[in-house]
Amino acid sequence: MKPGIPKGTRDFSSTEVAKRNYIFNTIKQSFENFGFQPIETPSFENSSTLMGKYGEEGDRLIFKILNSGDYLKKVDENLLADKDSQKVTSKISEKALRYDLTVPFARYVVQHQNEITFPFKRYQIQPVWRADRPQKGRFREFYQCDADVVGSTSLWQEVEFVQLYDTVFSKLGLKGTTIKINNRKILSGIAEVIGASDKLIDFTVALDKLDKIGKDGVVKEMLEKGISAEAIEKVDPLFNFSGSNQDKLASLEAMLQGSEEGLQGVADLRTVVDNVEILGLDSASLELDVTLARGLNYYTGAIYEVAAPEGVKMGSIGGGGRYDDLTGIFGLKDVSGVGISFGLDRIYLVMEELGLFEAVELPKPKVLFLNFEENESLDKIKAIKTLRQNNIKSEMYPDVASSNNQQKKQWKYATNREIEFVVTTVENGTLVVKNMSTGEQTTCSLDELINKVQ
């Protein structure tokens, strides 16, 4: 059989890895500049940790891991005969690949609460897995780059995260991104004033799909979920909300006069918007988007989503929000958190499309020893050891050339990898060195070569 990889996963060439590392390093430096510190969690968690935290749609996308051994042996035959996959799954799988980094982080905070200094600012850069339908910009295995603060309810954190997004995208040269912001309290308030509070999850999940399925698709889904036509009529202005952020805040304030929670959401948003306007942004813009819901059940306050520059067809390249109750699920009450995520893989695709990557230099030796004479190999390896001790990347071509063609192959290897210095012979402590940039060939000692290269 021809070898292949699962759909929704990818191999990365050396050049692609170098470009991805450039993005990773830019994000990491910005995280640390803003005071965040790194942690890591396992690639898989207990299923009970993950299930029920992402809503019905999210739960379906979690990759389950089969128990080791004969996992069907302990399953009741009647259960197998019923072919109820959900009931069988709980018997044969106790672990799952993580769906995101936020829920594992909440578990981490609860488990290590006595070792953590609050407020705790952490960042995490690791892969996650989702059993999604693969398409452009949507993969089954991808990296998330998260920054979160737990143990503070201050709205200054929301302001800082807008600045953090702007900082990273400015450093990457990704100008013209749009940081969309909303507040879950506003969505709850809207559901309250239209008499659909009992359908809040269905309402927000449908509303969040506006940019994907359009107004008609959202209305259809809301009706199917049991939200009345009368209620939908009341939210009709949301589908065409326009004007400046201040205009939208004023409209929302008027719309939500009957909801205390909704008005609190407007006040929270106004604080963030006003302060971001005062501080200014370098290359991004902040846009209040009242249809933004992000579908995840654990958000309770601010909600973020970042859109790529206009003209680039791509889903969100970042998102996040505030979650006041997440650690409570694991037994630690009254610890508010807020965080954002950068979608590394989508950011990569956007930068590639816009030609924002500069020439990437792959790791390579500074000095290459050609291998023309077997009796010189040990002396060359000794010289290489000394060079490496002086932090000079070096290697010897592994195979001895037994013909002119094989010697040409070694020279071609040096040229293709753009190696700067090539050593042809080593004899009695004397090296014959060619500078591949200038074509100059010299004879020198090892110490002289070290000085020359450094």
Side-chain angles (χ1 to χ4, degrees):
M1 281 181 64
K2 190 178 179 181
I5 57 175
K7 288 182 179 178
T9 64
R10 294 148 300 156
D11 290 322
F12 298 107
S13 68
S14 300
T15 300
E16 289 168 330
V17 169
K19 289 177 179 178
R20 286 164 65 85
N21 284 342
Y22 165 67
I23 301 174
F24 281 135
N25 292 336
T26 301
I27 294 173
K28 179 181 174 182
Q29 287 164 7
S30 299
F31 282 166
E32 293 183 354
N33 201 27
F34 274 68
F36 294 88
Q37 52 191 3
I39 68 161
E40 291 190 358
T41 59
S43 57
F44 56 93
E45 298 269 351
N46 293 324
S47 296
S48 56
T49 299
L50 302 178
M51 298 299 289
K53 311 303 188 300
Y54 307 102
E56 190 179 328
E57 289 196 17
D59 281 354
R60 282 202 299 268
L61 301 181
I62 292 173
F63 275 110
K64 283 78 174 180
I65 299 173
L66 290 173
N67 293 340
S68 56
D70 190 354
Y71 50 83
L72 285 178
K73 193 172 184 180
K74 297 178 183 177
V75 182
D76 184 87
E77 287 185 12
N78 294 325
L79 199 59
L80 289 174
D82 290 342
K83 295 184 178 179
D84 187 328
S85 59
Q86 287 191 332
K87 288 181 180 177
V88 172
T89 298
S90 64
K91 302 291 183 182
I92 64 175
S93 172
E94 297 167 359
K95 295 174 284 294
L97 292 175
R98 60 172 172 242
Y99 176 91
D100 72 353
L101 299 178
T102 306
V103 170
F105 172 54
R107 189 266 310 150
Y108 176 95
V109 169
V110 174
Q111 209 170 332
H112 298 273
Q113 57 187 286
N114 296 324
E115 307 151 30
I116 291 171
T117 301
F118 292 99
F120 180 46
K121 299 179 74 172
R122 87 80 167 87
Y123 75 83
Q124 197 169 345
I125 300 176
Q126 288 186 279
V128 299
W129 294 266
R130 295 183 186 178
D132 219 339
R133 185 171 63 86
Q135 52 188 289
K136 183 186 177 184
R138 190 181 295 275
F139 307 102
R140 287 176 171 169
E141 178 186 63
F142 57 97
Y143 267 81
Q144 284 189 339
C145 310
D146 281 16
D148 289 76
V149 183
V150 290
S152 170
T153 58
S154 171
L155 293 176
W156 285 111
Q157 304 295 347
E158 273 90 329
V159 175
E160 276 227 307
F161 279 126
V162 174
Q163 291 181 300
L164 179 54
Y165 268 137
D166 181 52
T167 297
V168 169
F169 291 125
S170 297
K171 284 184 176 180
L172 291 173
L174 200 55
K175 296 178 180 177
T177 57
T178 302
I179 304 166
K180 298 180 181 181
I181 189 169
N182 196 12
N183 195 294
R184 193 73 174 216
K185 294 172 188 172
I186 288 174
L187 294 168
S188 298
I190 293 169
E192 183 183 341
V193 298
I194 67 171
S197 290
D198 60 328
K199 299 283 186 181
L200 175 61
I201 299 301
D202 294 329
F203 172 73
T204 54
V205 168
L207 192 63
D208 194 50
K209 296 176 182 176
L210 183 63
D211 61 336
K212 301 181 187 78
I213 61 176
K215 177 184 173 181
D216 292 343
V218 171
V219 169
K220 182 184 176 188
E221 185 167 324
M222 286 184 175
L223 289 170
E224 287 172 352
K225 294 292 185 180
I227 298 171
S228 70
E230 184 184 356
I232 296 171
E233 183 77 24
K234 290 178 181 176
V235 298
D236 189 69
L238 293 181
F239 298 127
N240 300 295
F241 231 45
S242 60
S244 68
N245 289 336
Q246 296 297 342
D247 293 337
K248 292 175 182 176
L249 287 167
S251 299
L252 283 170
E253 200 165 35
M255 182 187 291
L256 295 169
Q257 282 305 310
S259 169
E260 185 179 338
E261 184 178 12
L263 290 174
Q264 183 60 56
V266 174
D268 289 354
L269 256 187
R270 181 171 275 121
T271 298
V272 176
V273 169
D274 287 352
N275 283 299
V276 169
E277 285 180 358
I278 292 167
L279 291 164
L281 297 174
D282 290 333
S283 66
S285 59
L286 183 67
E287 178 189 313
L288 198 167
D289 182 351
V290 290
T291 67
L292 180 60
R294 286 199 59 77
L296 295 180
N297 288 351
Y298 53 64
Y299 290 129
T300 55
I303 311 168
Y304 302 98
E305 192 162 279
V306 183
E310 205 171 325
V312 180
K313 289 185 178 180
M314 185 63 66
S316 64
I317 57 175
R322 181 169 286 280
Y323 42 90
D324 287 331
D325 306 326
L326 199 58
T327 56
I329 296 168
F330 301 118
L332 183 60
K333 302 291 184 184
D334 303 319
V335 178
S336 183
V338 59
I340 61 171
S341 181
F342 291 82
L344 178 279
D345 299 274
R346 289 186 176 182
I347 292 169
Y348 179 100
L349 290 173
V350 172
M351 291 182 67
E352 193 88 283
E353 186 171 330
L354 295 175
L356 295 178
F357 286 113
E358 296 178 7
V360 173
E361 187 170 319
L362 298 175
K364 63 184 178 184
K366 189 86 171 175
V367 181
L368 173 70
F369 287 71
L370 300 185
N371 196 352
F372 294 166
E373 299 289 342
E374 180 70 57
N375 58 5
E376 291 182 8
S377 296
L378 182 57
D379 288 336
K380 288 176 179 176
I381 293 296
K382 285 179 180 177
I384 287 170
K385 181 179 179 182
T386 303
L387 287 169
R388 289 172 178 167
Q389 287 170 342
N390 282 273
N391 295 316
I392 296 170
K393 295 174 186 174
S394 48
E395 68 176 52
M396 181 177 73
Y397 194 90
D399 302 307
V400 179
S402 57
S403 67
N404 284 337
N405 280 340
Q406 289 182 4
Q407 288 188 12
K408 287 177 183 176
K409 185 179 177 182
Q410 293 190 24
W411 281 111
K412 187 176 180 182
Y413 177 84
T415 302
N416 288 348
R417 293 198 67 191
E418 299 178 343
I419 294 167
E420 194 171 346
F421 296 96
V422 171
V423 179
T424 53
T425 59
V426 177
E427 191 174 352
N428 299 324
T430 302
L431 290 70
V432 177
V433 182
K434 182 174 182 179
N435 184 323
M436 296 294 283
S437 302
T438 64
E440 180 189 8
Q441 186 164 296
T442 56
T443 301
C444 62
S445 67
L446 184 58
D447 287 340
E448 287 170 336
L449 176 60
I450 291 170
N451 291 331
K452 186 193 295 260
V453 172
Q454 287 179 333

